[in-house]
Structure formats: structure tokens, C-alpha cells
Amino acid sequence: MTEVTPTLPADHRELISDLSGIVSDYPYTDPESTLAALADDAGEALGRTATPQSRRERTGYTILLHATCWYVSARVFNKSLFAAYTRSLEGFRAHLDRASCTCPSDAHPTDLDSEYEVEAGVSMLTEAGRGAFAEEYGLDDGELAAFDCEGFLADLADEALDRLREAREELFGGIDVSHLDARFLDDDGRIDVVALQEAIGRSWEDNTGPVALWCARRWLTGQVRDEERIGVFLCLWMGIAQSYGGLPPSYARDLAAALATIDLDASCEHPQHPWSTANDTVQSRYRAVVHLYAPDDHPDTPVPAELSARELWECPVQYAELARMALDDLAGWRTMRGGEDEDWEG
């Protein structure tokens, strides 16, 4: 009799493909809706208990939620998705007894990359999938059974929950940037715009977002002298323009509030404003701002002399032009990162 090779159901093969694209950070389906459907399926599985199917699903979905939680934490700014993941993981975790583990110390799967986890998790949902997975990777019965160990699954669930809780606070909670006062305020309380510029250019140190947020909060509280206004606003603008991947709602709320203070309908008769000559590159912007605030120390500027008058820098129309561009960027972040309106508004 010919032995039949176990195969995955077609919809599970498609699921592996979709989730693998997401966890490799090259999604070709909509990540938000795909991951929401995964969380919903996991939640439904929680309602099926004490059956072989439910045990397979507990294993498969715990692995899948763990494999994809990093993407939820880093790429999708949606509170309801965080909540769905958390509910499902907490539900599975409640039925996992770490003390029941009798595995040898080195029996649990280790160093699982996300794509392998996706394949493992989907495969664990059905007997046919398990058979195909074991055959593909040459796993014996003991190695396959290790995926079902409650101790192993409890570790995955706890790790995913910790990551989600930490990320949720970072994405939607309150960000404290008060420590930056010591870096950007002189002894007399004046803002050191040159120091702001030096910090905002060091994107590899993750400064862009915090600097922009610090500027927004100073602006909103009125703690900006008249001569500091354009410098602080330009640093705020640059923080938005240079956050190419988009900042989360915990930042965007105050940035949007600061931009909302600008009169977008302002008018003037100036044919051109200074910033239009300096906004092509980060370095060009930097030179324009530091020259404006410390011309003796930074004599090089892309702004021509005929556009360097303070009146032109302070023109309400220039503020309006900058604010419109920044608001477009914020709208783009919302489109790119997803979530509901209330996720971004408080």
C-alpha cells in the first residue's frame, strides 16, 4: 500500500505565506487586518476546550501570537489589536502549567526565528500539518511533542505579553522628556537651539522623536521667548520631517496640538521665505538654523542674504507653510501605521 505524504491544507499554506511576509517585514497583505484575523481566530479557539483540537490550537496559536507580536508592537499603532492579542495570550496562558513540564533541560525548541515560528505554529493546528512539518524538518516524536509542552508555551506567552505591555505604554502612553531640559536649557532658562539641532541630527541615537516632542511641549506651554520661536518651531518641524518611519501616537498627539496653534490661513506679500532655500537635506537645514542662532560660530548657511531678514523668518505664512507640510506627514503616519482615530487623539 502506498504511503500518503501528509500535506498542509491550502488555506494554511496561504496563512504561512501571509504571516511570513509580515514577520520578515515585507508584507504583501494588509498586516493590520491579517493580524486582527489571527487574533480573532485565536480568541475563538479559546472557546473550544478539552479536545485534541483545542490542544493543537493552543499550541499553534500561542506560537503564532508569539511570532507576530513583535510586528504588532513595532509596526501597527492600533489599541484594539493590542487588546485582542493580550486577551488571547492571557487566555491561553491561564491553561498552561509551567510546573507540568517534564522535558529534559535541552528539549524545548530554541532560537526560533519568526518565519520558522510561523511555519511551526500553523503546522501545529492540524494533524496533517504536524506530520508535514515533522517530515520537512526531520523531527522525531519527542521533538515534535516538545512544541506542546506547557512549560515551553508558557514561556512564549509570558514573553509575548511582556513585549506587548511594554510596547503599548510606549506607543500610547505618556512619554517623559523632562530629562532633556538639562541638555537644551541654559542656566538662565534660555533654549539652546544649536544644542537642539546637534541632537536632532543624531537619528541613530533615537533622538529625533524626543527632541520634536520636547519642542512641542515647550511650545504648548508658552515657555518659548520671542527670539526662540522660529528656532524651536523649525526643530519641531525637522523632528517630524526626519522621522521617516513615523512616530507613534504617544508623540503625535502633542506634535499635532502644537501645529494646531498655527494660523494656516495667514497671508503676506513676500515672494519667498528663508526655509524654502534650506529644506532639501538634513545638513542644509542644520546649517540654516545654527547660523540663524550662532552666526559667528556657524558662518555657513544656505539662506541667501536677501532672505535672511528676521521679518522673513518670522512671517506667519512661513509658519503656515511649515505646519501644512508637517500635518501632511502626521496624516501619512496614520495611514501607514493604522489604528483608529481615538488611538491617535488620546
Side-chain angles (χ1 to χ4, degrees):
M1 183 175 179
T2 303
E3 184 174 341
V4 178
T5 301
T7 58
L8 276 170
D11 59 334
H12 282 192
R13 291 198 299 271
E14 182 178 357
L15 180 59
I16 288 175
S17 178
D18 291 346
L19 294 179
S20 292
I22 290 171
V23 299
S24 64
D25 217 6
Y26 289 97
Y28 47 86
T29 61
D30 176 51
E32 188 173 352
S33 60
T34 300
L35 296 176
L38 174 65
D40 287 344
D41 290 344
E44 290 178 8
L46 283 168
R48 298 185 286 268
T49 59
T51 66
Q53 178 188 1
S54 71
R55 288 190 288 273
R56 288 194 298 268
E57 288 180 331
R58 180 180 66 185
T59 295
Y61 284 121
T62 300
I63 293 171
L64 288 172
L65 294 173
H66 178 269
T68 55
C69 75
W70 79 265
Y71 196 95
V72 174
S73 299
R75 298 287 189 266
V76 184
F77 302 159
N78 186 314
K79 286 182 182 178
S80 64
L81 185 56
F82 271 80
Y85 260 65
T86 300
R87 281 194 303 271
S88 293
L89 283 162
E90 287 178 342
F92 289 125
R93 181 65 181 88
H95 295 93
L96 295 169
D97 179 10
R98 184 179 279 107
S100 70
C101 172
T102 58
C103 300
S105 59
D106 59 349
H108 292 169
T110 57
D111 300 325
L112 306 179
D113 68 71
S114 294
E115 288 187 70
Y116 178 82
E117 261 195 289
V118 162
E119 186 176 357
V122 175
S123 299
M124 295 299 144
L125 296 172
T126 63
E127 282 301 320
R130 287 166 174 254
F133 185 76
E135 184 169 297
E136 180 177 357
Y137 289 98
L139 304 180
D140 60 31
D141 290 345
E143 291 170 320
L144 189 62
F147 284 93
D148 294 312
C149 172
E150 294 191 23
F152 167 66
L153 295 174
D155 286 344
L156 293 186
D158 286 344
E159 184 177 312
L161 285 166
D162 286 346
R163 185 166 196 165
L164 288 164
R165 289 165 183 154
E166 181 179 343
R168 191 184 190 285
E169 180 60 26
E170 182 177 338
L171 295 180
F172 304 108
I175 303 297
D176 183 9
V177 292
S178 60
H179 62 283
L180 295 178
D181 290 355
R183 292 178 60 186
F184 302 141
L185 296 178
D186 293 338
D187 292 341
D188 62 357
R190 293 182 180 276
I191 298 172
D192 187 341
V193 176
V194 173
L196 281 172
Q197 276 296 299
E198 290 172 347
I200 209 167
R202 296 197 293 270
S203 58
W204 62 88
E205 295 180 17
D206 197 27
N207 280 327
T208 308
V211 172
L213 183 59
W214 188 89
C215 290
R217 289 182 178 165
R218 296 291 296 188
W219 186 272
L220 288 168
T221 57
Q223 296 176 295
V224 181
R225 292 176 171 87
D226 287 347
E227 66 271 18
E228 298 166 343
R229 280 177 54 82
I230 187 60
V232 170
F233 195 78
L234 288 173
C235 291
L236 164 62
W237 183 90
M238 290 172 70
I240 294 171
Q242 292 165 201
S243 295
Y244 306 112
L247 294 170
S250 53
Y251 289 81
R253 288 192 297 267
D254 284 347
L255 301 179
L259 296 171
T261 66
I262 303 300
D263 178 9
L264 300 182
D265 297 321
S267 62
C268 73
E269 296 182 358
H270 302 137
Q272 192 175 10
H273 297 97
W275 198 243
S276 64
T277 67
N279 65 0
D280 290 333
T281 67
V282 172
Q283 186 58 33
S284 178
R285 297 165 185 162
Y286 169 84
R287 289 189 291 116
V289 176
V290 296
H291 174 80
L292 181 63
Y293 280 88
D296 292 339
D297 295 331
H298 303 277
D300 184 26
T301 176
V303 180
E306 62 271 20
L307 291 178
S308 61
R310 198 72 180 206
E311 174 194 359
L312 292 175
W313 277 108
E314 295 286 355
C315 178
V317 172
Q318 177 163 260
Y319 280 96
E321 291 170 349
L322 291 167
R324 279 193 289 269
M325 285 188 284
L327 288 167
D328 284 345
D329 285 339
L330 263 62
W333 296 351
R334 294 177 66 161
T335 299
M336 174 173 57
R337 296 304 187 190
E340 307 298 330
D341 288 346
E342 55 266 30
D343 297 341
W344 291 86
E345 295 168 0

